[in-house]
Short mmCIF file of all heavy atoms in Angstrom, two decimals:
data_model
loop_
_atom_site.label_atom_id
_atom_site.label_comp_id
_atom_site.label_asym_id
_atom_site.label_seq_id
_atom_site.Cartn_x
_atom_site.Cartn_y
_atom_site.Cartn_z
N ALA A 79 -34.24 -127.38 -66.39
CA ALA A 79 -33.66 -126.51 -65.37
C ALA A 79 -32.38 -125.82 -65.83
O ALA A 79 -32.22 -124.61 -65.58
CB ALA A 79 -33.41 -127.30 -64.08
N PRO A 80 -31.46 -126.51 -66.53
CA PRO A 80 -30.26 -125.79 -66.98
C PRO A 80 -30.58 -124.64 -67.93
O PRO A 80 -29.96 -123.57 -67.84
CB PRO A 80 -29.44 -126.87 -67.70
CG PRO A 80 -29.90 -128.16 -67.10
CD PRO A 80 -31.35 -127.94 -66.80
N LYS A 81 -31.54 -124.82 -68.81
CA LYS A 81 -31.90 -123.74 -69.74
C LYS A 81 -32.53 -122.56 -69.01
O LYS A 81 -32.27 -121.41 -69.34
CB LYS A 81 -32.83 -124.28 -70.82
CG LYS A 81 -32.12 -125.25 -71.76
CD LYS A 81 -33.04 -125.85 -72.77
CE LYS A 81 -32.26 -126.86 -73.59
NZ LYS A 81 -33.08 -127.70 -74.40
N ARG A 82 -33.34 -122.84 -68.01
CA ARG A 82 -33.93 -121.75 -67.20
C ARG A 82 -32.86 -121.02 -66.44
O ARG A 82 -32.89 -119.79 -66.34
CB ARG A 82 -34.97 -122.32 -66.23
CG ARG A 82 -36.27 -122.68 -66.92
CD ARG A 82 -37.41 -122.84 -65.96
NE ARG A 82 -37.63 -121.59 -65.24
CZ ARG A 82 -38.19 -121.54 -64.05
NH1 ARG A 82 -38.59 -122.62 -63.44
NH2 ARG A 82 -38.37 -120.38 -63.45
N ALA A 83 -31.88 -121.76 -65.88
CA ALA A 83 -30.79 -121.12 -65.14
C ALA A 83 -29.97 -120.22 -66.06
O ALA A 83 -29.57 -119.11 -65.67
CB ALA A 83 -29.92 -122.17 -64.48
N LEU A 84 -29.71 -120.68 -67.27
CA LEU A 84 -28.95 -119.86 -68.22
C LEU A 84 -29.73 -118.62 -68.63
O LEU A 84 -29.14 -117.54 -68.78
CB LEU A 84 -28.59 -120.70 -69.45
CG LEU A 84 -27.54 -121.77 -69.21
CD1 LEU A 84 -27.42 -122.67 -70.43
CD2 LEU A 84 -26.20 -121.15 -68.86
N GLN A 85 -31.03 -118.76 -68.81
CA GLN A 85 -31.83 -117.59 -69.15
C GLN A 85 -31.83 -116.60 -68.00
O GLN A 85 -31.76 -115.38 -68.22
CB GLN A 85 -33.26 -118.00 -69.53
CG GLN A 85 -34.07 -116.86 -70.09
CD GLN A 85 -33.45 -116.27 -71.35
OE1 GLN A 85 -33.11 -116.98 -72.29
NE2 GLN A 85 -33.28 -114.96 -71.37
N LYS A 86 -31.88 -117.10 -66.78
CA LYS A 86 -31.81 -116.23 -65.60
C LYS A 86 -30.48 -115.50 -65.55
O LYS A 86 -30.41 -114.32 -65.21
CB LYS A 86 -32.00 -117.06 -64.33
CG LYS A 86 -33.26 -116.84 -63.60
CD LYS A 86 -33.37 -117.76 -62.42
CE LYS A 86 -33.59 -116.97 -61.19
NZ LYS A 86 -33.87 -117.80 -60.03
N TRP A 87 -29.39 -116.23 -65.87
CA TRP A 87 -28.06 -115.63 -65.89
C TRP A 87 -28.02 -114.49 -66.91
O TRP A 87 -27.55 -113.39 -66.61
CB TRP A 87 -27.00 -116.68 -66.22
CG TRP A 87 -25.63 -116.12 -66.33
CD1 TRP A 87 -24.74 -115.91 -65.31
CD2 TRP A 87 -24.96 -115.68 -67.53
NE1 TRP A 87 -23.58 -115.37 -65.81
CE2 TRP A 87 -23.69 -115.22 -67.15
CE3 TRP A 87 -25.34 -115.64 -68.86
CZ2 TRP A 87 -22.78 -114.72 -68.08
CZ3 TRP A 87 -24.43 -115.14 -69.78
CH2 TRP A 87 -23.17 -114.69 -69.39
N GLU A 88 -28.53 -114.77 -68.12
CA GLU A 88 -28.53 -113.75 -69.17
C GLU A 88 -29.40 -112.55 -68.78
O GLU A 88 -29.01 -111.39 -68.99
CB GLU A 88 -29.01 -114.35 -70.49
CG GLU A 88 -28.87 -113.38 -71.66
CD GLU A 88 -29.29 -114.02 -72.96
OE1 GLU A 88 -30.52 -114.19 -73.17
OE2 GLU A 88 -28.39 -114.35 -73.76
N ASP A 89 -30.56 -112.81 -68.21
CA ASP A 89 -31.44 -111.72 -67.77
C ASP A 89 -30.75 -110.87 -66.70
O ASP A 89 -30.87 -109.64 -66.71
CB ASP A 89 -32.76 -112.27 -67.23
CG ASP A 89 -33.61 -112.92 -68.32
OD1 ASP A 89 -33.33 -112.72 -69.52
OD2 ASP A 89 -34.55 -113.67 -67.95
N GLY A 90 -30.02 -111.51 -65.81
CA GLY A 90 -29.27 -110.78 -64.79
C GLY A 90 -28.17 -109.92 -65.39
O GLY A 90 -27.91 -108.80 -64.93
N MET A 91 -27.51 -110.44 -66.42
CA MET A 91 -26.47 -109.67 -67.11
C MET A 91 -27.07 -108.42 -67.75
O MET A 91 -26.52 -107.33 -67.63
CB MET A 91 -25.79 -110.52 -68.19
CG MET A 91 -24.92 -111.63 -67.66
SD MET A 91 -23.46 -111.01 -66.85
CE MET A 91 -22.66 -110.21 -68.22
N VAL A 92 -28.22 -108.59 -68.41
CA VAL A 92 -28.87 -107.46 -69.06
C VAL A 92 -29.33 -106.45 -68.01
O VAL A 92 -29.14 -105.24 -68.17
CB VAL A 92 -30.04 -107.94 -69.95
CG1 VAL A 92 -30.87 -106.76 -70.44
CG2 VAL A 92 -29.52 -108.75 -71.11
N LYS A 93 -29.90 -106.94 -66.93
CA LYS A 93 -30.39 -106.05 -65.88
C LYS A 93 -29.25 -105.29 -65.21
O LYS A 93 -29.35 -104.08 -64.99
CB LYS A 93 -31.15 -106.87 -64.83
CG LYS A 93 -31.70 -106.06 -63.69
CD LYS A 93 -32.41 -106.93 -62.68
CE LYS A 93 -32.86 -106.11 -61.50
NZ LYS A 93 -33.42 -106.96 -60.46
N ASN A 94 -28.16 -105.99 -64.89
CA ASN A 94 -27.07 -105.37 -64.14
C ASN A 94 -26.09 -104.58 -65.01
O ASN A 94 -25.55 -103.57 -64.55
CB ASN A 94 -26.30 -106.42 -63.35
CG ASN A 94 -27.14 -107.05 -62.26
OD1 ASN A 94 -27.99 -106.39 -61.66
ND2 ASN A 94 -26.94 -108.32 -62.02
N TYR A 95 -25.85 -105.05 -66.22
CA TYR A 95 -24.80 -104.43 -67.05
C TYR A 95 -25.28 -103.94 -68.41
O TYR A 95 -24.52 -103.31 -69.14
CB TYR A 95 -23.65 -105.42 -67.25
CG TYR A 95 -23.08 -105.95 -65.97
CD1 TYR A 95 -23.27 -107.28 -65.60
CD2 TYR A 95 -22.38 -105.13 -65.09
CE1 TYR A 95 -22.77 -107.78 -64.41
CE2 TYR A 95 -21.87 -105.60 -63.89
CZ TYR A 95 -22.08 -106.94 -63.56
OH TYR A 95 -21.58 -107.42 -62.39
N GLY A 96 -26.49 -104.29 -68.80
CA GLY A 96 -27.00 -103.85 -70.08
C GLY A 96 -26.47 -104.63 -71.28
O GLY A 96 -26.64 -104.21 -72.42
N VAL A 97 -25.84 -105.76 -71.03
CA VAL A 97 -25.29 -106.58 -72.12
C VAL A 97 -25.64 -108.04 -71.86
O VAL A 97 -25.91 -108.45 -70.74
CB VAL A 97 -23.75 -106.43 -72.23
CG1 VAL A 97 -23.37 -105.01 -72.62
CG2 VAL A 97 -23.06 -106.85 -70.95
N LYS A 98 -25.59 -108.85 -72.94
CA LYS A 98 -25.84 -110.28 -72.83
C LYS A 98 -24.56 -111.10 -72.76
O LYS A 98 -24.61 -112.31 -72.63
CB LYS A 98 -26.68 -110.77 -74.02
CG LYS A 98 -28.09 -110.27 -74.01
CD LYS A 98 -28.88 -110.88 -75.14
CE LYS A 98 -30.33 -110.45 -75.08
NZ LYS A 98 -31.14 -111.12 -76.09
N GLU A 99 -23.42 -110.44 -72.91
CA GLU A 99 -22.15 -111.17 -72.90
C GLU A 99 -21.05 -110.29 -72.31
O GLU A 99 -21.15 -109.06 -72.33
CB GLU A 99 -21.77 -111.61 -74.31
CG GLU A 99 -21.65 -110.48 -75.29
CD GLU A 99 -21.46 -110.96 -76.71
OE1 GLU A 99 -21.97 -112.04 -77.07
OE2 GLU A 99 -20.81 -110.23 -77.48
N ILE A 100 -20.04 -110.95 -71.79
CA ILE A 100 -18.86 -110.28 -71.25
C ILE A 100 -17.67 -110.72 -72.07
O ILE A 100 -17.54 -111.90 -72.41
CB ILE A 100 -18.63 -110.67 -69.77
CG1 ILE A 100 -19.81 -110.29 -68.91
CG2 ILE A 100 -17.37 -110.02 -69.24
CD1 ILE A 100 -19.71 -110.78 -67.49
N HIS A 101 -16.80 -109.79 -72.36
CA HIS A 101 -15.57 -110.12 -73.10
C HIS A 101 -14.42 -110.16 -72.11
O HIS A 101 -14.14 -109.18 -71.43
CB HIS A 101 -15.33 -109.09 -74.20
CG HIS A 101 -16.45 -109.07 -75.20
ND1 HIS A 101 -16.53 -109.97 -76.23
CD2 HIS A 101 -17.55 -108.29 -75.29
CE1 HIS A 101 -17.62 -109.74 -76.93
NE2 HIS A 101 -18.27 -108.72 -76.38
N LEU A 102 -13.79 -111.33 -72.03
CA LEU A 102 -12.69 -111.56 -71.10
C LEU A 102 -11.37 -111.59 -71.85
O LEU A 102 -11.31 -112.09 -72.97
CB LEU A 102 -12.87 -112.90 -70.38
CG LEU A 102 -14.22 -113.15 -69.71
CD1 LEU A 102 -14.33 -114.61 -69.30
CD2 LEU A 102 -14.38 -112.24 -68.51
N THR A 103 -10.33 -111.09 -71.22
CA THR A 103 -8.97 -111.22 -71.73
C THR A 103 -8.16 -111.88 -70.62
O THR A 103 -8.13 -111.40 -69.49
CB THR A 103 -8.36 -109.85 -72.07
OG1 THR A 103 -9.18 -109.22 -73.05
CG2 THR A 103 -6.95 -110.01 -72.63
N THR A 104 -7.54 -113.00 -70.96
CA THR A 104 -6.74 -113.73 -69.98
C THR A 104 -5.31 -113.81 -70.48
O THR A 104 -5.07 -114.23 -71.61
CB THR A 104 -7.30 -115.15 -69.76
OG1 THR A 104 -8.71 -115.07 -69.55
CG2 THR A 104 -6.65 -115.82 -68.55
N GLU A 105 -4.39 -113.41 -69.62
CA GLU A 105 -2.96 -113.47 -69.93
C GLU A 105 -2.31 -114.48 -69.01
O GLU A 105 -2.47 -114.41 -67.78
CB GLU A 105 -2.31 -112.10 -69.74
CG GLU A 105 -2.87 -111.05 -70.67
CD GLU A 105 -2.30 -109.67 -70.42
OE1 GLU A 105 -1.79 -109.40 -69.30
OE2 GLU A 105 -2.34 -108.84 -71.35
N PHE A 106 -1.58 -115.42 -69.59
CA PHE A 106 -0.92 -116.48 -68.84
C PHE A 106 0.58 -116.23 -68.83
O PHE A 106 1.19 -116.11 -69.89
CB PHE A 106 -1.23 -117.84 -69.47
CG PHE A 106 -2.66 -118.24 -69.34
CD1 PHE A 106 -3.59 -117.86 -70.29
CD2 PHE A 106 -3.09 -118.99 -68.25
CE1 PHE A 106 -4.92 -118.21 -70.17
CE2 PHE A 106 -4.42 -119.35 -68.12
CZ PHE A 106 -5.34 -118.96 -69.09
N TYR A 107 1.14 -116.19 -67.62
CA TYR A 107 2.57 -116.02 -67.44
C TYR A 107 3.16 -117.33 -66.93
O TYR A 107 2.47 -118.35 -66.93
CB TYR A 107 2.83 -114.86 -66.47
CG TYR A 107 2.30 -113.54 -66.98
CD1 TYR A 107 1.01 -113.13 -66.67
CD2 TYR A 107 3.07 -112.73 -67.80
CE1 TYR A 107 0.50 -111.93 -67.16
CE2 TYR A 107 2.58 -111.53 -68.30
CZ TYR A 107 1.29 -111.14 -67.96
OH TYR A 107 0.79 -109.95 -68.45
N ASP A 108 4.39 -117.32 -66.49
CA ASP A 108 5.04 -118.56 -66.05
C ASP A 108 4.39 -119.17 -64.81
O ASP A 108 4.29 -120.38 -64.70
CB ASP A 108 6.52 -118.32 -65.76
CG ASP A 108 7.33 -118.16 -67.04
OD1 ASP A 108 6.89 -118.69 -68.08
OD2 ASP A 108 8.37 -117.49 -67.00
N ARG A 109 3.93 -118.34 -63.87
CA ARG A 109 3.39 -118.88 -62.61
C ARG A 109 1.98 -118.41 -62.29
O ARG A 109 1.35 -118.93 -61.38
CB ARG A 109 4.31 -118.49 -61.47
CG ARG A 109 5.65 -119.13 -61.60
CD ARG A 109 6.46 -119.00 -60.35
NE ARG A 109 7.68 -119.74 -60.55
CZ ARG A 109 8.87 -119.30 -60.28
NH1 ARG A 109 9.02 -118.11 -59.76
NH2 ARG A 109 9.93 -120.04 -60.51
N ILE A 110 1.51 -117.42 -62.99
CA ILE A 110 0.18 -116.87 -62.70
C ILE A 110 -0.56 -116.60 -64.00
O ILE A 110 0.03 -116.60 -65.08
CB ILE A 110 0.25 -115.55 -61.89
CG1 ILE A 110 0.93 -114.45 -62.73
CG2 ILE A 110 0.93 -115.75 -60.55
CD1 ILE A 110 0.73 -113.05 -62.19
N PHE A 111 -1.85 -116.34 -63.87
CA PHE A 111 -2.61 -115.79 -64.98
C PHE A 111 -3.50 -114.67 -64.45
O PHE A 111 -3.85 -114.63 -63.27
CB PHE A 111 -3.40 -116.85 -65.76
CG PHE A 111 -4.48 -117.54 -64.99
CD1 PHE A 111 -5.78 -117.11 -65.04
CD2 PHE A 111 -4.18 -118.67 -64.23
CE1 PHE A 111 -6.78 -117.78 -64.35
CE2 PHE A 111 -5.17 -119.35 -63.55
CZ PHE A 111 -6.48 -118.89 -63.60
N VAL A 112 -3.80 -113.73 -65.34
CA VAL A 112 -4.58 -112.56 -64.98
C VAL A 112 -5.72 -112.44 -65.98
O VAL A 112 -5.51 -112.48 -67.19
CB VAL A 112 -3.71 -111.28 -65.02
CG1 VAL A 112 -4.55 -110.05 -64.68
CG2 VAL A 112 -2.50 -111.41 -64.11
N GLN A 113 -6.94 -112.28 -65.45
CA GLN A 113 -8.12 -112.17 -66.31
C GLN A 113 -8.80 -110.83 -66.03
O GLN A 113 -9.02 -110.47 -64.87
CB GLN A 113 -9.08 -113.32 -66.07
CG GLN A 113 -10.23 -113.37 -67.06
CD GLN A 113 -11.06 -114.62 -66.89
OE1 GLN A 113 -11.82 -114.73 -65.94
NE2 GLN A 113 -10.91 -115.55 -67.81
N THR A 114 -9.14 -110.13 -67.09
CA THR A 114 -9.91 -108.89 -66.98
C THR A 114 -11.15 -109.02 -67.86
O THR A 114 -11.18 -109.83 -68.78
CB THR A 114 -9.09 -107.66 -67.44
OG1 THR A 114 -8.64 -107.87 -68.77
CG2 THR A 114 -7.91 -107.41 -66.53
N ASN A 115 -12.15 -108.21 -67.53
CA ASN A 115 -13.36 -108.20 -68.36
C ASN A 115 -13.63 -106.79 -68.84
O ASN A 115 -13.12 -105.82 -68.29
CB ASN A 115 -14.55 -108.81 -67.63
CG ASN A 115 -15.00 -107.98 -66.45
OD1 ASN A 115 -15.40 -106.83 -66.61
ND2 ASN A 115 -14.92 -108.54 -65.25
N ASP A 116 -14.43 -106.67 -69.87
CA ASP A 116 -14.67 -105.37 -70.49
C ASP A 116 -15.65 -104.50 -69.71
O ASP A 116 -15.83 -103.35 -70.04
CB ASP A 116 -15.16 -105.54 -71.93
CG ASP A 116 -16.49 -106.26 -72.04
OD1 ASP A 116 -16.90 -106.94 -71.07
OD2 ASP A 116 -17.13 -106.16 -73.11
N ILE A 117 -16.22 -105.03 -68.63
CA ILE A 117 -17.18 -104.25 -67.86
C ILE A 117 -16.48 -103.52 -66.71
O ILE A 117 -16.54 -102.30 -66.61
CB ILE A 117 -18.32 -105.14 -67.33
CG1 ILE A 117 -19.14 -105.66 -68.52
CG2 ILE A 117 -19.21 -104.37 -66.36
CD1 ILE A 117 -20.19 -106.65 -68.17
N SER A 118 -15.80 -104.27 -65.85
CA SER A 118 -15.18 -103.64 -64.69
C SER A 118 -13.70 -103.32 -64.89
O SER A 118 -13.16 -102.48 -64.20
CB SER A 118 -15.33 -104.54 -63.46
OG SER A 118 -14.50 -105.68 -63.58
N GLN A 119 -13.07 -104.01 -65.79
CA GLN A 119 -11.63 -103.86 -66.06
C GLN A 119 -10.76 -104.20 -64.84
O GLN A 119 -9.57 -103.94 -64.86
CB GLN A 119 -11.30 -102.43 -66.54
CG GLN A 119 -11.94 -102.05 -67.85
CD GLN A 119 -11.41 -102.88 -69.02
OE1 GLN A 119 -10.23 -103.17 -69.09
NE2 GLN A 119 -12.30 -103.25 -69.91
N GLU A 120 -11.35 -104.74 -63.80
CA GLU A 120 -10.58 -105.12 -62.61
C GLU A 120 -9.94 -106.48 -62.85
O GLU A 120 -10.63 -107.45 -63.16
CB GLU A 120 -11.48 -105.19 -61.38
CG GLU A 120 -11.99 -103.83 -60.95
CD GLU A 120 -12.82 -103.91 -59.69
OE1 GLU A 120 -12.56 -104.80 -58.84
OE2 GLU A 120 -13.74 -103.11 -59.56
N PRO A 121 -8.62 -106.56 -62.70
CA PRO A 121 -7.95 -107.85 -62.95
C PRO A 121 -8.18 -108.84 -61.81
O PRO A 121 -8.25 -108.47 -60.65
CB PRO A 121 -6.48 -107.46 -63.04
CG PRO A 121 -6.36 -106.19 -62.27
CD PRO A 121 -7.69 -105.49 -62.38
N ILE A 122 -8.35 -110.09 -62.20
CA ILE A 122 -8.41 -111.20 -61.25
C ILE A 122 -7.13 -112.00 -61.49
O ILE A 122 -6.88 -112.45 -62.60
CB ILE A 122 -9.64 -112.08 -61.48
CG1 ILE A 122 -10.92 -111.28 -61.29
CG2 ILE A 122 -9.62 -113.30 -60.55
CD1 ILE A 122 -12.18 -112.02 -61.70
N GLU A 123 -6.35 -112.15 -60.46
CA GLU A 123 -5.06 -112.84 -60.58
C GLU A 123 -5.14 -114.17 -59.83
O GLU A 123 -5.66 -114.24 -58.73
CB GLU A 123 -3.97 -111.97 -59.98
CG GLU A 123 -2.59 -112.51 -60.16
CD GLU A 123 -1.52 -111.54 -59.63
OE1 GLU A 123 -1.51 -110.38 -60.04
OE2 GLU A 123 -0.72 -112.00 -58.78
N GLU A 124 -4.61 -115.21 -60.44
CA GLU A 124 -4.60 -116.54 -59.83
C GLU A 124 -3.29 -117.22 -60.15
O GLU A 124 -2.82 -117.18 -61.29
CB GLU A 124 -5.77 -117.37 -60.36
CG GLU A 124 -5.92 -118.72 -59.72
CD GLU A 124 -6.34 -118.64 -58.26
OE1 GLU A 124 -7.31 -117.96 -57.94
OE2 GLU A 124 -5.67 -119.29 -57.43
N GLY A 125 -2.71 -117.85 -59.14
CA GLY A 125 -1.50 -118.64 -59.35
C GLY A 125 -1.85 -120.05 -59.79
O GLY A 125 -2.94 -120.55 -59.50
N PHE A 126 -0.94 -120.68 -60.51
CA PHE A 126 -1.21 -122.04 -60.97
C PHE A 126 -1.36 -123.01 -59.80
O PHE A 126 -2.05 -124.03 -59.93
CB PHE A 126 -0.12 -122.52 -61.92
CG PHE A 126 -0.11 -121.80 -63.23
CD1 PHE A 126 1.05 -121.24 -63.73
CD2 PHE A 126 -1.26 -121.67 -63.97
CE1 PHE A 126 1.06 -120.58 -64.94
CE2 PHE A 126 -1.28 -121.00 -65.18
CZ PHE A 126 -0.10 -120.45 -65.66
N SER A 127 -0.78 -122.70 -58.66
CA SER A 127 -0.92 -123.57 -57.50
C SER A 127 -2.36 -123.59 -56.98
O SER A 127 -2.76 -124.50 -56.27
CB SER A 127 0.03 -123.14 -56.38
OG SER A 127 -0.29 -121.83 -55.95
N GLY A 128 -3.15 -122.58 -57.36
CA GLY A 128 -4.54 -122.52 -56.94
C GLY A 128 -5.50 -123.26 -57.84
O GLY A 128 -6.70 -123.31 -57.59
#
Side-chain angles (χ1 to χ4, degrees):
K81 291 177 184 168
R82 284 197 61 205
L84 289 171
Q85 189 59 51
K86 249 177 125 173
W87 177 85
E88 187 177 74
D89 293 345
M91 290 291 297
V92 170
K93 180 181 176 186
N94 294 326
Y95 305 110
V97 296
K98 290 185 176 186
E99 58 188 31
I100 300 174
H101 299 277
L102 308 169
T103 301
T104 312
E105 297 176 338
F106 293 88
Y107 298 91
D108 286 334
R109 295 192 175 132
I110 65 165
F111 64 95
V112 179
Q113 188 173 75
T114 56
N115 66 62
D116 64 341
I117 294 174
S118 71
Q119 297 294 321
E120 292 183 31
I122 299 171
E123 186 176 305
E124 185 68 51
F126 292 129
S127 62

